[in-house]
Amino acid sequence: MEKIKMTTPLVEMDGDEMTRVLWKMIKDELLLPFIDLKTEYYDLGLEYRNQTNDQVTFDSAEATKKYGVAVKCATITPNAARMPEYNLKEMWKSPNGTIRAILDGTVFRAPIIVKGVEPYVKTWKKPITIARHAYGDVYKGTEMKIPGAGKAELVYTAEDGTETREVIHDFKGAGIIQGMHNLSDSIESFARSCFNYALDTKQDLWFATKDTISKKYDHTFKDIFQEIFDAEYKEKFESAGIEYFYTLIDDAVARVMRSEGGYIWACKNYDGDVMSDMVATAFGSLSMMTSVLVSPQGYYEYEAAHGTVQRHYYRYLKGEKTSTNPIATIFAWSGALRKRGEMDGLNDLIAFADKLEAASIRTIEEGKMTGDLALISTLEHKVTLNSEEFIKAIRETLEEML
Ligand code: NAP
Ligand code: MG
């Protein structure tokens, strides 16, 4: 069989620990035998980030702007324990944070659904994709403990020196206050990323805030979304046959629980933080969550939602064969290859991405899976495979399908 050709390279961001091990297995077994794989390789493994003073992370993000599509392996965000382990010069920042800041993107997370791993919510049949705004609000808040009676105010001093004041509270005793902010630019980028991704995946977009209570702050989010939608996306949504739907956050939560799934739920920063953990857990497993960063300019970076699976890696280093689930990382590759195919008009590449995903799902539904899934799968006949055996089983299914 002739290998599938690519015209533009993918930006390949290698990573750390167990996922780095899976990365190579996936390439060797599921990609290189079938595709004339073109990538521009960036090693975001902690060792090389340290060696380059993290320059490699910046370079990989710039390359994503150049080529448009990246695929990323999970990476270590260093903490105190990693300093001696990797002999680090500095406690380097989270690569995901750095890349997100450069691409100004929004992260979309969606579960991969397979028979046998049933969502806890009975009505959910299709994935619910959460889009979390990743700037500001309580995450960039300023707080104060109020020791006793006194007046707390919000003060804005314009560049010309004029002040605008708003009383927060006239304290009679002790209490607490918090100041937070957001930026119109950031909310606009968030809105555009969400509208673009909805069009891309042909799914409805839901957005919700508490605008009835927060008449200026949350209401601004609602207004910006509506203005951008009306001006730039209304007609595109109509011709794609999808809908933009705004409601109050309480109503949204109730509707989500009763829904079938199959839409994107855009969330403010805090809502997204909390709801993405709830939705991921309710769908069954973190190892079956994909994640894609979409910039308002239309750059894409695909990855798994989980980390480097450190505990498995230490067992691997002792020579043990681990049963680490590669599915989310495989779907990062298939997502990136499909997007590359769409951008370059390569139908073979798109078809391959579809088949790789279908083969992965079929393998699990035939009862071959990793330990994490075997624990929760309701299938009667199932076998637990280690990562290598599982990836080889997917390859067999894939070869039958090609
Ligand atoms: P983790 O890698 O997500 O793993 C936490 C636990 O979840 C694992 O110990 C394992 O449970 C289970 N798990 C996660 N993914 C799995 C998979 N594919 N297959 C089977 N089980 C899976 O989180 P962590 O161990 O807390 O973090 C490790 C490193 O990842 C940290 O250095 C952190 O900075 C980094 N991280 C990176 C990213 C990213 O690059 N996007 C995201 C999150 C964390 P059992 O051990 O019980 O089997
Ligand atoms: Mg959280």
Side-chain angles (χ1 to χ4, degrees), residues 10 20 44 52 57 82 100 115 138 165 184-186 204 217 227 239 242 261 301 308 329 339 361 364 379 389 392 400:
L10 276 179
R20 188 181 181 98
L44 299 200
T52 60
T57 308
R82 302 292 195 172
R100 194 159 58 214
K115 269 194 216 86
V138 69
R165 285 170 180 267
S184 301
D185 273 355
S186 174
D204 290 346
Y217 199 101
E227 281 156 23
S239 49
I242 57 173
E301 182 239 86
T308 61
T329 305
K339 179 53 69 184
I361 289 171
I364 298 170
L379 292 186
E389 293 165 337
K392 290 206 158 111
E400 277 169 34

Side-chain angles (χ1 to χ4, degrees), residues 72 74-75 77 82 96 287 303 306-309 311-312 325:
K72 181 179 170 293
T75 47
T77 299
R82 302 292 195 172
N96 289 56
S287 59
E303 63 173 331
H306 59 76
T308 61
V309 211
R311 294 208 297 164
H312 292 213
N325 191 340

Side-chain angles (χ1 to χ4, degrees), residues 260-398:
E260 267 205 348
Y263 49 85
I264 299 159
W265 182 10
C267 292
K268 286 180 61 205
N269 211 349
Y270 176 82
D271 299 339
D273 184 351
V274 177
M275 290 306 163
S276 64
D277 280 351
M278 190 195 73
V279 169
T281 308
F283 268 109
S285 172
L286 184 63
S287 59
M288 297 290 280
M289 274 301 234
T290 59
S291 183
V292 55
L293 175 73
V294 181
S295 85
Q297 291 81 19
Y299 310 129
Y300 294 75
E301 182 239 86
Y302 293 83
E303 63 173 331
H306 59 76
T308 61
V309 211
Q310 182 180 10
R311 294 208 297 164
H312 292 213
Y313 183 60
Y314 291 160
R315 300 210 313 262
Y316 167 87
L317 287 180
K318 286 189 198 144
E320 217 182 291
K321 297 229 179 226
T322 70
S323 184
T324 316
N325 191 340
I327 288 288
T329 305
I330 294 172
F331 274 62
W333 274 101
S334 57
L337 290 168
R338 180 185 297 107
K339 179 53 69 184
R340 196 66 270 166
E342 285 168 7
M343 284 185 176
D344 297 348
L346 304 172
N347 290 329
D348 288 356
L349 197 60
I350 298 171
F352 176 82
D354 292 344
K355 283 188 182 140
L356 178 55
E357 291 180 358
S360 303
I361 289 171
R362 192 158 111 197
T363 307
I364 298 170
E365 293 184 343
E366 283 170 0
K368 291 169 248 175
M369 59 191 83
T370 45
D372 57 313
L373 292 183
L375 275 178
I376 53 175
S377 171
T378 55
L379 292 186
E380 261 179 56
H381 303 287
K382 54 190 173 193
V383 280
T384 303
L385 304 178
N386 66 43
S387 301
E388 205 178 330
E389 293 165 337
F390 179 57
I391 288 172
K392 290 206 158 111
I394 295 173
R395 177 170 177 175
E396 272 177 34
T397 318
L398 179 61

Side-chain angles (χ1 to χ4, degrees), residues 4-50:
I4 296 162
K5 295 267 182 299
M6 292 177 65
T7 48
T8 317
L10 276 179
V11 178
E12 174 182 356
M13 304 171 174
D14 207 346
D16 287 300
E17 300 195 309
M18 205 57 220
T19 40
R20 188 181 181 98
V21 177
L22 296 177
W23 194 259
K24 182 166 186 324
M25 287 184 197
I26 292 167
K27 283 178 70 178
D28 288 346
E29 291 289 331
L30 301 176
L31 304 175
L32 294 169
F34 309 102
I35 306 173
D36 219 351
L37 194 65
K38 262 193 183 197
T39 72
E40 193 163 294
Y41 180 84
Y42 292 86
D43 185 358
L44 299 200
L46 186 50
E47 231 175 86
Y48 194 63
R49 270 185 276 150
N50 189 51

